[in-house]
């Protein structure tokens, strides 16, 4: 949504800078989640004092703000006002997510849903009228809109004077951090590199297809968070077998939903012969198929990564991620050597779609089989 609003009025150079700022902000936010917040929620399954204290969220927010300011300077922004706004605003998405995880622990899920809806509505309203501002302020406005979500969730989150020190679960947190870093290499860097190389027509179709698949990816993300919260907080998911069965049902449902959505999108593009001034019909169709297949298999596999992490198999997930990314990069390189940028993006996405189940679902089977055997022995 932010990208669509920005591209409607920004110049090419402004939009390029904004895209980098938005990517940097989202990446910093993602690291904050996987390094500090998500490991605590996973640990909460076995340790009810594994709560992230406020000072961690504030500290990470301040650190993230400084990193965003440094990156903004590298992107060519030197205006003090924009830099200050970016640095201050970066803490709000992180604090919002900290409150979100705390609300999930006390089962205030509707509160988090209301908070997110309010944030999205405010963001759309603010950015829709903020045309013509400098790109640094534009990204800062998007971050500042998280304040409404902070206000909505305050007073409804878990509070405790005691918590388990982070060092008690720093190893799984480190493995999750490595997983995220390696995954970022696969999801972001290849497209930026290929975009800078230029000379291809397919890459525009793949970028537009990624935007079109955004709502589906949001559904996948919300589903994995729900499973994570259920496994950590609900008595019905305390037993490993119960968690496993719920996760496998959810994985199958998401795979079917993804397949249906992608198929419908492809049919609509074909029937309506959709194309745009910057993206041809054939490029969009190829991109939609490639991105759609990756969305289906990554969403399906994503549930299994959460299951494995909650079952204590963090190392298995991180190794799987490195395997998927390594082979995908080989696919990008082989495609580029054979057919340039277009060949690179097509082969890279095809390999990625195949490797997700191979890297995550197949290694999960021995773990699942062991859990089922142990349950049968108890019965």
């Amino acid at each position: 949504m932010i990208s669509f609003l920005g591209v409607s009025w920004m110049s090419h150079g402004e939009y390029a800078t904004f895209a980098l700022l938005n990517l940097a902000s989202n990446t910093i936010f993602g690291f904050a989640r996987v390094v500090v917040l998500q490991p605590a929620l996973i640990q909460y399954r076995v340790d009810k004092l594994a709560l992230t204290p406020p000072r961690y969220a504030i500290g990470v927010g301040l650190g993230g703000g400084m990193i965003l300011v440094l990156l903004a300077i590298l992107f060519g922004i030197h205006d003090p006002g924009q830099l200050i706004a970016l640095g201050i605003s970066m803490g709000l998405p992180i604090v919002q997510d900290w409150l979100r995880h705390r609300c999930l622990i006390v089962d205030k899920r509707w509160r988090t849903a209301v908070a997110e809806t309010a944030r999205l509505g405010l963001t759309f309203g603010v950015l829709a009228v903020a045309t013509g501002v400098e790109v640094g302020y534009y990204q800062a406005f998007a971050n500042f809109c998280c304040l409404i979500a902070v206000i909505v969730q305050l007073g409804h989150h878990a509070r405790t004077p005691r918590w388990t020190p982070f060092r008690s679960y720093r190893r799984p947190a480190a493995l999750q951090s490595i997983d995220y870093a390696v995954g970022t290499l696969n999801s972001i860097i290849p497209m930026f590199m290929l975009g800078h190389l230029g000379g291809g027509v397919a890459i525009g179709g793949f970028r537009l297809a990624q935007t079109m698949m955004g709502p589906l990816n949001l559904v996948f993300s919300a589903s994995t968070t729900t499973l994570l919260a259920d496994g950590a907080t609900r008595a019905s998911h305390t037993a490993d077998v119960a968690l496993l069965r719920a996760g496998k049902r959810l994985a199958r449902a998401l795979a079917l939903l993804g397949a249906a959505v992608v198929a419908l999108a492809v049919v609509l593009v074909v029937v309506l012969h959709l194309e745009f001034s910057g993206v041809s019909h054939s490029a969009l169709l190829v991109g939609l198929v490639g991105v759609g297949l990756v969305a289906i298999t990554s969403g399906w596999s994503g549930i299994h990564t959460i299951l494995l992490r909650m079952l204590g198999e963090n190392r298995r997930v991180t190794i799987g991620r490195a395997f998927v990314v390594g082979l995908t990069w080989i696919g990008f390189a082989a495609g580029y050597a054979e057919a340039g940028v277009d060949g690179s993006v097509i082969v890279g996405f095809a390999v990625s779609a195949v490797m997700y189940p191979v890297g995550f679902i197949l290694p999960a089977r021995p773990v699942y089989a062991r859990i089922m055997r142990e349950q049968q022995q108890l019965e």
Side-chain angles (χ1 to χ4, degrees):
M1 179 185 70
I2 296 176
S3 296
F4 275 121
L5 290 173
V7 77
S8 66
W9 62 268
M10 292 180 184
S11 67
H12 179 76
E14 289 174 330
Y15 186 71
T17 302
F18 167 70
L20 291 173
L21 279 176
N22 187 248
L23 175 62
S25 180
N26 291 338
T27 303
I28 292 169
F29 170 78
F31 265 109
R33 171 178 286 181
V34 301
V35 173
V36 179
L37 304 177
Q38 185 171 292
L41 186 57
I42 292 176
Q43 184 70 13
Y44 190 82
R45 176 173 168 79
V46 295
D47 178 4
K48 300 310 179 186
L49 289 179
L51 299 169
T52 307
R55 70 170 185 268
Y56 285 20
I58 295 172
V60 172
L62 291 173
M66 289 188 288
I67 293 173
L68 184 59
V69 168
L70 291 175
L71 290 175
I73 293 173
L74 291 177
F75 298 155
I77 296 177
H78 303 290
D79 175 55
Q82 295 185 63
L83 296 175
I84 292 172
L86 286 168
I88 295 174
S89 69
M90 188 64 242
L92 285 170
I94 295 172
V95 173
Q96 174 204 343
D97 207 41
W98 173 77
L99 283 168
R100 179 169 174 262
H101 280 74
R102 283 295 192 93
C103 286
L104 290 174
I105 287 174
V106 293
D107 204 21
K108 296 289 185 178
R109 303 188 187 194
W110 278 108
R111 180 64 56 173
T112 64
V114 170
E116 187 63 18
T117 301
R119 182 191 69 80
L120 288 173
L122 181 62
T123 302
F124 182 82
V126 169
L127 297 188
V129 299
T131 57
V133 302
E134 288 86 350
V135 293
Y137 287 125
Y138 198 74
Q139 178 60 49
F141 289 162
N143 291 340
F144 276 127
C145 287
C146 293
L147 179 61
I148 186 66
V150 171
I151 294 172
V152 169
Q153 293 174 119
L154 276 176
H156 298 272
H157 60 282
R159 292 182 292 275
T160 177
R162 298 173 56 239
W163 51 79
T164 299
F166 179 78
R167 62 178 177 271
S168 299
Y169 51 93
R170 64 188 175 192
R171 179 176 175 78
L175 288 170
Q176 290 179 59
S177 303
I178 295 171
D179 184 357
Y180 183 82
V182 174
T184 300
L185 293 175
N186 194 40
S187 61
I188 296 175
I189 293 180
M191 293 298 284
F192 270 93
M193 290 176 62
L194 293 173
H196 282 297
L197 288 173
V201 296
I203 194 167
F206 275 80
R207 287 294 298 131
L208 181 57
Q210 285 179 321
T211 301
M212 293 172 65
M213 289 293 105
L216 180 61
N217 290 326
L218 286 177
V219 172
F220 288 163
S221 178
S223 298
T224 56
T225 301
T226 298
L227 177 64
L228 182 61
D230 285 344
T233 64
R234 295 202 166 172
S236 60
H237 290 61
T238 300
D240 290 346
V241 172
L243 174 67
L244 179 57
R245 288 171 177 166
K248 292 176 78 171
R249 286 195 301 269
L250 180 59
R252 287 193 294 268
L254 291 181
L256 291 174
L257 173 65
V261 170
V262 172
L264 177 61
V266 170
V267 169
L268 289 176
V269 169
V270 171
V271 172
L272 300 178
H273 197 76
L274 290 179
E275 62 181 351
F276 302 88
S277 59
V279 179
S280 67
H281 172 73
S282 59
L284 176 58
L285 189 58
V286 172
L288 194 57
V289 171
V291 172
L293 289 175
V294 170
I296 294 169
T297 60
S298 64
W300 176 32
S301 303
I303 296 298
H304 291 276
T305 66
I306 293 297
L307 285 174
L308 287 171
R309 290 202 181 283
M310 300 200 76
L311 293 171
E313 297 289 340
N314 286 284
R315 182 180 177 85
R316 194 179 295 258
V317 176
T318 302
I319 292 175
R321 183 77 62 186
F323 172 78
V324 171
V325 172
L327 288 181
T328 299
W329 272 64
I330 291 174
F332 277 119
Y336 185 79
E338 183 66 25
V341 171
D342 287 348
S344 178
V345 71
I346 292 171
V347 175
F349 272 78
V351 172
S352 183
V354 174
M355 286 301 109
Y356 270 109
V358 174
F360 297 117
I361 297 178
L362 291 183
R365 288 185 174 179
V367 178
Y368 299 164
R370 172 177 55 79
I371 292 173
M372 298 305 295
R373 284 197 305 270
E374 291 175 353
Q375 179 64 24
Q376 290 172 357
Q377 291 172 0
L378 291 175
E379 295 175 349

